[in-house]
Coordinates of all heavy atoms in Angstrom, one line a residue:
M1 N 7.2 -0.8 14.2 CA 7.1 -0.9 12.7 C 7.2 0.5 12.0 O 7.8 0.6 11.0 CB 5.9 -1.7 12.3 CG 5.8 -2.0 10.9 SD 7.0 -3.2 10.5 CE 6.5 -3.7 8.9
Y2 N 6.5 1.4 12.6 CA 6.5 2.8 12.0 C 7.9 3.4 12.0 O 8.3 3.9 11.0 CB 5.6 3.7 12.9 CG 5.4 5.1 12.3 CD1 4.6 5.3 11.3 CD2 6.2 6.1 12.9 CE1 4.5 6.6 10.7 CE2 6.1 7.4 12.4 CZ 5.2 7.6 11.3 OH 5.2 8.9 10.8
N3 N 8.6 3.2 13.1 CA 10.0 3.7 13.1 C 10.9 3.0 12.1 O 11.8 3.6 11.5 CB 10.6 3.6 14.5 CG 9.9 4.5 15.5 OD1 9.4 5.6 15.1 ND2 9.9 4.2 16.8
F4 N 10.8 1.7 11.9 CA 11.5 1.0 11.0 C 11.3 1.5 9.5 O 12.2 1.8 8.8 CB 11.2 -0.5 11.0 CG 11.8 -1.3 9.9 CD1 13.2 -1.6 9.9 CD2 11.1 -1.8 8.9 CE1 13.7 -2.3 8.9 CE2 11.6 -2.5 7.9 CZ 13.0 -2.8 7.9
L5 N 10.0 1.7 9.2 CA 9.6 2.2 7.9 C 10.1 3.6 7.7 O 10.5 4.0 6.5 CB 8.1 2.2 7.7 CG 7.6 0.7 7.4 CD1 6.1 0.8 7.3 CD2 8.2 0.1 6.2
M6 N 10.1 4.4 8.7 CA 10.6 5.8 8.6 C 12.1 5.8 8.3 O 12.6 6.5 7.5 CB 10.3 6.6 9.9 CG 8.9 7.2 9.9 SD 8.5 8.2 8.6 CE 9.5 9.7 9.0
S7 N 12.8 4.8 9.0 CA 14.2 4.7 8.8 C 14.6 4.3 7.3 O 15.5 4.7 6.7 CB 14.9 3.7 9.7 OG 14.7 4.1 11.0
V8 N 13.8 3.3 6.8 CA 13.9 2.8 5.5 C 13.7 3.9 4.5 O 14.4 4.1 3.5 CB 13.0 1.6 5.3 CG1 13.0 1.3 3.7 CG2 13.4 0.4 6.0
I9 N 12.7 4.8 4.7 CA 12.3 5.8 3.7 C 13.4 6.9 3.8 O 13.7 7.5 2.7 CB 10.9 6.4 4.0 CG1 10.3 6.9 2.6 CG2 10.9 7.4 5.0 CD1 8.8 7.1 2.6
W10 N 13.9 7.2 4.9 CA 15.1 8.2 5.0 C 16.3 7.7 4.2 O 16.9 8.4 3.4 CB 15.4 8.5 6.5 CG 14.6 9.5 7.0 CD1 13.5 9.3 7.9 CD2 14.7 10.9 6.9 NE1 12.9 10.5 8.2 CE2 13.6 11.5 7.6 CE3 15.5 11.7 6.2 CZ2 13.5 12.9 7.7 CZ3 15.4 13.1 6.2 CH2 14.3 13.7 7.0
I11 N 16.7 6.4 4.5 CA 17.9 5.8 3.9 C 17.6 5.7 2.3 O 18.5 6.1 1.5 CB 18.2 4.5 4.4 CG1 18.7 4.7 5.9 CG2 19.2 3.7 3.6 CD1 18.7 3.4 6.7
D12 N 16.4 5.3 2.0 CA 16.1 5.2 0.5 C 16.1 6.6 -0.2 O 16.5 6.7 -1.3 CB 14.7 4.6 0.4 CG 14.4 4.2 -1.0 OD1 15.3 3.6 -1.7 OD2 13.3 4.4 -1.5
S13 N 15.6 7.6 0.5 CA 15.6 9.0 -0.1 C 17.1 9.5 -0.4 O 17.4 10.0 -1.4 CB 15.0 10.0 0.9 OG 13.6 9.6 1.2
V14 N 18.0 9.2 0.6 CA 19.3 9.6 0.4 C 20.0 8.8 -0.7 O 20.7 9.3 -1.6 CB 20.2 9.4 1.7 CG1 21.7 9.6 1.5 CG2 19.7 10.4 2.8
L15 N 19.7 7.5 -0.8 CA 20.2 6.6 -1.9 C 19.7 7.0 -3.3 O 20.4 7.0 -4.3 CB 19.9 5.1 -1.6 CG 20.7 4.5 -0.5 CD1 20.2 3.1 -0.2 CD2 22.2 4.6 -0.7
I16 N 18.4 7.5 -3.3 CA 17.8 7.9 -4.6 C 18.5 9.2 -5.0 O 18.9 9.3 -6.2 CB 16.3 8.2 -4.5 CG1 15.5 6.9 -4.4 CG2 15.8 9.0 -5.6 CD1 14.0 7.1 -4.1
I17 N 18.8 10.1 -4.1 CA 19.5 11.3 -4.5 C 20.9 11.0 -5.0 O 21.3 11.6 -6.0 CB 19.6 12.3 -3.3 CG1 18.2 12.8 -2.9 CG2 20.6 13.4 -3.5 CD1 18.1 13.6 -1.6
I18 N 21.6 10.1 -4.4 CA 22.9 9.7 -4.8 C 22.9 9.1 -6.2 O 23.7 9.4 -7.1 CB 23.6 8.8 -3.8 CG1 23.9 9.6 -2.5 CG2 24.9 8.2 -4.3 CD1 24.3 8.8 -1.3
S19 N 22.0 8.2 -6.3 CA 21.9 7.5 -7.6 C 21.5 8.4 -8.8 O 22.0 8.2 -9.9 CB 20.9 6.3 -7.6 OG 19.5 6.8 -7.5
V20 N 20.7 9.4 -8.5 CA 20.3 10.3 -9.6 C 21.6 11.2 -10.0 O 21.8 11.5 -11.1 CB 19.1 11.2 -9.2 CG1 18.9 12.4 -10.1 CG2 17.8 10.3 -9.2
L21 N 22.3 11.6 -8.9 CA 23.4 12.4 -9.2 C 24.5 11.7 -9.9 O 25.4 12.3 -10.6 CB 24.0 13.0 -7.9 CG 23.0 14.1 -7.3 CD1 23.6 14.5 -5.9 CD2 22.9 15.3 -8.1
M22 N 24.6 10.4 -9.7 CA 25.6 9.6 -10.4 C 25.4 9.2 -11.8 O 26.3 8.8 -12.5 CB 25.9 8.3 -9.5 CG 26.6 8.5 -8.2 SD 26.9 7.0 -7.3 CE 27.9 6.1 -8.5
Q23 N 24.2 9.5 -12.2 CA 23.8 9.2 -13.6 C 24.5 10.1 -14.6 O 24.6 11.3 -14.3 CB 22.3 9.2 -13.8 CG 21.6 8.1 -13.1 CD 20.1 8.1 -13.5 OE1 19.6 8.9 -14.3 NE2 19.4 7.2 -12.8
P24 N 25.0 9.6 -15.7 CA 25.7 10.5 -16.7 C 24.7 11.5 -17.2 O 23.5 11.3 -17.4 CB 26.1 9.5 -17.8 CG 25.9 8.2 -17.3 CD 24.9 8.2 -16.1
A25 N 25.2 12.7 -17.4 CA 24.4 13.8 -18.0 C 24.1 13.6 -19.4 O 25.0 13.2 -20.2 CB 25.2 15.1 -17.7
K26 N 22.9 14.0 -19.8 CA 22.5 13.9 -21.2 C 22.4 15.4 -21.7 O 21.3 15.9 -21.7 CB 21.2 13.2 -21.4 CG 21.3 11.7 -21.0 CD 20.0 11.1 -21.0 CE 20.1 9.7 -20.5 NZ 18.8 9.1 -20.0
T27 N 23.5 16.0 -22.0 CA 23.5 17.4 -22.3 C 23.2 17.6 -23.8 O 23.6 16.8 -24.6 CB 24.9 18.0 -22.0 OG1 25.9 17.4 -22.7 CG2 25.2 17.9 -20.5
N28 N 22.5 18.7 -24.1 CA 22.2 19.1 -25.4 C 22.9 20.5 -25.6 O 22.9 21.3 -24.7 CB 20.7 19.2 -25.7 CG 20.1 17.9 -25.7 OD1 20.7 16.9 -26.1 ND2 18.8 17.8 -25.4
D29 N 23.5 20.7 -26.8 CA 24.1 22.0 -27.0 C 23.0 23.0 -27.4 O 21.8 22.6 -27.6 CB 25.2 21.9 -28.0 CG 24.7 21.3 -29.3 OD1 23.5 20.9 -29.4 OD2 25.5 21.2 -30.3
A30 N 23.4 24.2 -27.5 CA 22.5 25.3 -27.8 C 21.9 25.1 -29.3 O 20.8 25.6 -29.6 CB 23.2 26.7 -27.7
M31 N 22.7 24.5 -30.1 CA 22.2 24.4 -31.5 C 21.0 23.5 -31.6 O 20.2 23.7 -32.5 CB 23.4 23.8 -32.4 CG 23.2 23.9 -33.8 SD 23.0 25.7 -34.3 CE 22.6 25.6 -35.9
S32 N 20.9 22.5 -30.7 CA 19.7 21.6 -30.9 C 18.4 22.3 -30.5 O 17.4 22.0 -30.9 CB 19.9 20.4 -30.0 OG 19.9 20.7 -28.6
S33 N 18.5 23.3 -29.6 CA 17.3 24.1 -29.3 C 16.9 25.0 -30.5 O 15.7 25.3 -30.6 CB 17.6 25.0 -28.1 OG 18.5 25.9 -28.3
L34 N 17.9 25.4 -31.3 CA 17.5 26.2 -32.5 C 17.0 25.4 -33.6 O 16.2 25.8 -34.4 CB 18.8 27.0 -32.9 CG 19.3 28.1 -31.9 CD1 20.6 28.7 -32.4 CD2 18.2 29.1 -31.6
T35 N 17.5 24.2 -33.8 CA 17.1 23.3 -34.9 C 16.0 22.5 -34.5 O 15.4 21.7 -35.4 CB 18.3 22.4 -35.4 OG1 18.7 21.6 -34.3 CG2 19.5 23.3 -35.8
G36 N 15.6 22.5 -33.3 CA 14.4 21.6 -32.9 C 14.8 20.2 -32.6 O 14.0 19.4 -32.3
G37 N 16.1 20.0 -32.5 CA 16.6 18.6 -32.1 C 16.4 17.6 -33.2 O 16.4 16.4 -33.0
A38 N 16.3 18.0 -34.5 CA 16.1 17.1 -35.6 C 17.3 16.1 -35.7 O 17.2 15.0 -36.2 CB 15.8 17.8 -36.9
D39 N 18.5 16.6 -35.4 CA 19.7 15.7 -35.5 C 19.7 14.6 -34.5 O 20.4 13.6 -34.6 CB 21.0 16.6 -35.4 CG 21.0 17.4 -34.1 OD1 19.9 17.7 -33.6 OD2 22.1 17.7 -33.7
D40 N 18.9 14.7 -33.4 CA 18.8 13.7 -32.4 C 17.7 12.7 -32.7 O 17.4 11.8 -31.8 CB 18.5 14.3 -31.0 CG 19.6 15.2 -30.5 OD1 20.8 14.9 -31.0 OD2 19.4 16.1 -29.7
L41 N 17.1 12.7 -33.8 CA 16.0 11.8 -34.2 C 16.4 10.4 -34.1 O 15.7 9.5 -33.5 CB 15.4 12.1 -35.6 CG 14.2 11.3 -36.0 CD1 13.1 11.5 -35.0 CD2 13.8 11.7 -37.4
F42 N 17.6 10.0 -34.6 CA 18.0 8.6 -34.6 C 19.2 8.4 -33.7 O 19.9 7.4 -33.7 CB 18.5 8.2 -36.0 CG 17.3 8.3 -37.0 CD1 17.3 9.3 -38.0 CD2 16.3 7.4 -37.0 CE1 16.2 9.4 -38.9 CE2 15.2 7.5 -37.9 CZ 15.2 8.5 -38.8
A43 N 19.4 9.4 -32.8 CA 20.5 9.3 -31.8 C 20.2 8.5 -30.5 O 21.1 8.3 -29.7 CB 21.0 10.7 -31.6
H44 N 18.9 8.2 -30.4 CA 18.6 7.5 -29.1 C 19.0 6.1 -29.1 O 18.5 5.3 -29.8 CB 17.0 7.6 -28.9 CG 16.5 9.0 -28.8 ND1 16.8 9.7 -27.6 CD2 15.9 9.8 -29.6 CE1 16.3 10.9 -27.7 NE2 15.7 11.0 -28.9
A45 N 20.0 5.8 -28.4 CA 20.5 4.4 -28.3 C 20.2 3.8 -26.9 O 19.9 4.6 -25.9 CB 22.0 4.4 -28.4
K46 N 20.1 2.5 -26.9 CA 19.7 1.9 -25.6 C 20.9 2.1 -24.6 O 22.1 1.9 -25.0 CB 19.5 0.4 -25.9 CG 18.8 -0.3 -24.9 CD 18.5 -1.7 -25.4 CE 17.7 -2.4 -24.3 NZ 17.4 -3.8 -24.7
P47 N 20.6 2.4 -23.4 CA 21.7 2.6 -22.5 C 22.4 1.3 -22.2 O 21.8 0.3 -22.0 CB 21.0 3.2 -21.2 CG 19.6 2.9 -21.4 CD 19.3 2.7 -22.8
R48 N 23.7 1.3 -22.0 CA 24.5 0.2 -21.8 C 25.5 0.4 -20.6 O 25.8 1.5 -20.3 CB 25.3 -0.2 -23.0 CG 24.4 -0.6 -24.2 CD 25.3 -0.9 -25.4 NE 24.5 -1.1 -26.5 CZ 24.2 -2.2 -27.0 NH1 24.6 -3.3 -26.5 NH2 23.4 -2.3 -28.1
G49 N 25.9 -0.6 -20.0 CA 26.9 -0.5 -19.0 C 26.4 0.2 -17.7 O 25.4 -0.1 -17.2
F50 N 27.3 1.2 -17.3 CA 27.0 1.9 -16.1 C 25.7 2.7 -16.2 O 25.0 2.7 -15.1 CB 28.2 2.9 -15.8 CG 28.1 3.6 -14.5 CD1 28.2 3.0 -13.3 CD2 27.8 5.0 -14.6 CE1 28.1 3.7 -12.1 CE2 27.7 5.7 -13.4 CZ 27.8 5.1 -12.2
E51 N 25.4 3.3 -17.3 CA 24.2 4.1 -17.4 C 23.0 3.2 -17.2 O 22.0 3.6 -16.5 CB 24.1 4.8 -18.7 CG 23.0 5.6 -18.9 CD 23.0 6.4 -20.3 OE1 24.0 6.3 -21.0 OE2 22.0 7.0 -20.5
A52 N 23.0 2.0 -17.8 CA 21.8 1.0 -17.6 C 21.7 0.6 -16.2 O 20.6 0.5 -15.7 CB 22.0 -0.1 -18.6
F53 N 22.8 0.3 -15.6 CA 22.8 -0.1 -14.2 C 22.3 1.0 -13.3 O 21.5 0.7 -12.4 CB 24.3 -0.5 -13.7 CG 24.4 -0.8 -12.3 CD1 23.9 -2.0 -11.8 CD2 25.0 0.1 -11.4 CE1 24.0 -2.3 -10.4 CE2 25.1 -0.2 -10.1 CZ 24.6 -1.4 -9.6
M54 N 22.7 2.2 -13.5 CA 22.2 3.3 -12.6 C 20.7 3.6 -12.9 O 20.0 3.9 -11.9 CB 23.0 4.6 -12.9 CG 24.4 4.5 -12.3 SD 24.6 3.9 -10.6 CE 23.6 5.2 -9.7
Q55 N 20.2 3.4 -14.1 CA 18.8 3.5 -14.3 C 18.0 2.5 -13.6 O 17.0 2.7 -13.0 CB 18.5 3.5 -15.8 CG 18.8 4.7 -16.5 CD 18.5 4.6 -18.0 OE1 18.1 3.6 -18.5 NE2 18.6 5.7 -18.7
K56 N 18.4 1.2 -13.6 CA 17.8 0.1 -12.9 C 17.8 0.3 -11.4 O 16.8 0.1 -10.7 CB 18.4 -1.2 -13.3 CG 18.2 -1.6 -14.7 CD 18.9 -2.9 -15.0 CE 18.7 -3.2 -16.5 NZ 19.5 -4.3 -17.0
V57 N 19.0 0.8 -10.8 CA 19.1 1.1 -9.4 C 18.1 2.2 -9.0 O 17.4 2.1 -8.0 CB 20.5 1.5 -9.1 CG1 20.6 2.1 -7.7 CG2 21.4 0.3 -9.2
T58 N 18.0 3.2 -9.8 CA 17.1 4.3 -9.5 C 15.6 3.8 -9.5 O 14.8 4.2 -8.7 CB 17.2 5.5 -10.5 OG1 18.7 5.8 -10.5 CG2 16.4 6.7 -10.1
V59 N 15.3 3.0 -10.5 CA 13.9 2.5 -10.6 C 13.6 1.6 -9.4 O 12.5 1.7 -8.7 CB 13.7 1.7 -11.8 CG1 12.4 1.0 -11.8 CG2 13.7 2.7 -13.1
V60 N 14.5 0.8 -9.0 CA 14.3 -0.1 -7.8 C 14.2 0.7 -6.6 O 13.3 0.5 -5.7 CB 15.4 -1.1 -7.7 CG1 15.4 -1.9 -6.4 CG2 15.4 -2.1 -8.8
L61 N 15.0 1.7 -6.4 CA 14.9 2.6 -5.2 C 13.6 3.4 -5.2 O 13.0 3.6 -4.2 CB 16.1 3.5 -5.2 CG 17.5 2.9 -4.8 CD1 18.6 3.9 -4.9 CD2 17.4 2.3 -3.4
G62 N 13.1 3.8 -6.4 CA 11.9 4.5 -6.4 C 10.7 3.6 -6.1 O 9.8 4.0 -5.4
V63 N 10.7 2.3 -6.5 CA 9.7 1.4 -6.1 C 9.7 1.2 -4.6 O 8.7 1.1 -4.0 CB 9.9 0.1 -6.9 CG1 8.9 -1.0 -6.3 CG2 9.5 0.3 -8.4
I64 N 10.9 1.0 -4.0 CA 11.0 0.8 -2.6 C 10.4 2.0 -1.9 O 9.7 1.9 -0.8 CB 12.5 0.6 -2.2 CG1 12.9 -0.8 -2.7 CG2 12.7 0.6 -0.7 CD1 14.4 -1.1 -2.6
F65 N 10.8 3.2 -2.3 CA 10.3 4.5 -1.7 C 8.8 4.5 -1.8 O 8.1 4.8 -0.8 CB 10.9 5.7 -2.4 CG 10.4 7.0 -1.9 CD1 11.2 7.5 -0.8 CD2 9.3 7.7 -2.4 CE1 10.8 8.8 -0.2 CE2 9.0 8.9 -1.8 CZ 9.7 9.4 -0.7
F66 N 8.2 4.2 -3.0 CA 6.7 4.2 -3.1 C 6.0 3.2 -2.2 O 5.0 3.5 -1.5 CB 6.4 3.9 -4.5 CG 4.9 4.0 -4.9 CD1 4.3 5.3 -4.9 CD2 4.2 3.0 -5.2 CE1 3.0 5.4 -5.2 CE2 2.8 3.1 -5.5 CZ 2.2 4.3 -5.5
V67 N 6.6 2.0 -2.1 CA 6.0 0.9 -1.3 C 6.1 1.3 0.2 O 5.1 1.1 1.0 CB 6.6 -0.4 -1.6 CG1 6.2 -1.5 -0.6 CG2 6.2 -0.9 -3.0
T68 N 7.3 1.8 0.6 CA 7.4 2.2 1.9 C 6.5 3.4 2.3 O 5.9 3.4 3.4 CB 8.9 2.7 2.2 OG1 9.7 1.6 1.7 CG2 9.2 2.9 3.7
A69 N 6.3 4.3 1.4 CA 5.4 5.5 1.7 C 3.9 4.9 1.8 O 3.2 5.4 2.7 CB 5.5 6.5 0.5
L70 N 3.6 4.0 1.0 CA 2.2 3.4 1.1 C 2.1 2.6 2.5 O 1.0 2.7 3.1 CB 1.9 2.5 0.0 CG 1.6 3.1 -1.4 CD1 1.4 2.1 -2.5 CD2 0.4 4.0 -1.3
G71 N 3.1 2.0 2.9 CA 3.1 1.3 4.2 C 3.0 2.2 5.3 O 2.2 2.0 6.3
L72 N 3.6 3.4 5.2 CA 3.5 4.4 6.3 C 2.1 5.0 6.3 O 1.6 5.2 7.4 CB 4.6 5.5 6.1 CG 6.0 5.2 6.5 CD1 6.9 6.2 6.0 CD2 6.1 5.0 7.9
V73 N 1.5 5.2 5.2 CA 0.2 5.7 5.1 C -0.8 4.7 5.7 O -1.7 5.1 6.5 CB -0.2 6.1 3.7 CG1 -1.7 6.4 3.6 CG2 0.6 7.3 3.2
W74 N -0.6 3.5 5.4 CA -1.5 2.4 5.9 C -1.4 2.3 7.5 O -2.3 2.2 8.2 CB -1.2 1.1 5.3 CG -2.1 0.0 5.7 CD1 -3.4 -0.2 5.3 CD2 -1.8 -1.0 6.6 NE1 -3.9 -1.3 5.9 CE2 -3.0 -1.8 6.7 CE3 -0.7 -1.3 7.4 CZ2 -3.0 -2.9 7.6 CZ3 -0.8 -2.4 8.3 CH2 -2.0 -3.2 8.4
L75 N -0.1 2.4 7.9 CA 0.1 2.3 9.4 C -0.4 3.5 10.1 O -1.0 3.4 11.2 CB 1.6 2.2 9.7 CG 2.2 0.8 9.6 CD1 3.7 0.9 9.9 CD2 1.6 -0.1 10.6
S76 N -0.3 4.6 9.5 CA -0.8 5.9 10.2 C -2.3 5.9 10.2 O -3.0 6.6 11.1 CB -0.3 7.1 9.6 OG -0.7 7.3 8.2
S77 N -3.0 5.3 9.3 CA -4.5 5.2 9.2 C -5.1 4.2 10.2 O -6.3 4.3 10.5 CB -5.0 5.0 7.8 OG -4.7 3.7 7.4
H78 N -4.3 3.3 10.6 CA -4.8 2.2 11.5 C -4.4 2.5 12.9 O -3.5 2.6 13.5 CB -4.4 0.9 11.1 CG -5.2 0.4 9.9 ND1 -4.8 0.7 8.6 CD2 -6.3 -0.3 9.8 CE1 -5.7 0.2 7.8 NE2 -6.6 -0.5 8.5

């Protein structure tokens, strides 16, 4: 069981890295750092399409990673 969970956590780690790298960049220009980002006050829109899908995939992979890590801790303590 320990080896299975280690394999799951390794695969999940690689998938998390890939999913984070595939997410679209939210770049800010240099002007927003000078103005304090006031122009972005009403610019926050709900993510749609590919961006929303990648956020959900990243959250699910993060939950799987967390649960697997807890399972490994529980197995190593017993």
Side-chain angles (χ1 to χ4, degrees):
M1 186 67 167
Y2 182 81
N3 290 333
F4 173 72
L5 287 178
M6 280 301 289
S7 299
V8 169
I9 208 163
W10 276 99
I11 293 168
D12 192 44
S13 300
V14 171
L15 291 175
I16 286 174
I17 292 169
I18 291 170
S19 69
V20 167
L21 289 175
M22 286 181 62
Q23 289 183 7
K26 297 175 183 158
T27 58
N28 290 331
D29 56 356
M31 194 60 185
S32 68
S33 64
L34 296 174
T35 61
D39 54 338
D40 293 336
L41 182 61
F42 299 108
H44 297 288
K46 198 172 185 182
R48 298 177 188 258
F50 182 71
E51 184 178 354
F53 173 73
M54 289 311 297
Q55 283 182 355
K56 290 175 187 172
V57 166
T58 306
V59 168
V60 168
L61 289 173
V63 169
I64 291 171
F65 183 86
F66 185 70
V67 169
T68 307
L70 287 177
L72 283 170
V73 168
W74 184 78
L75 276 176
S76 66
S77 68
H78 284 86

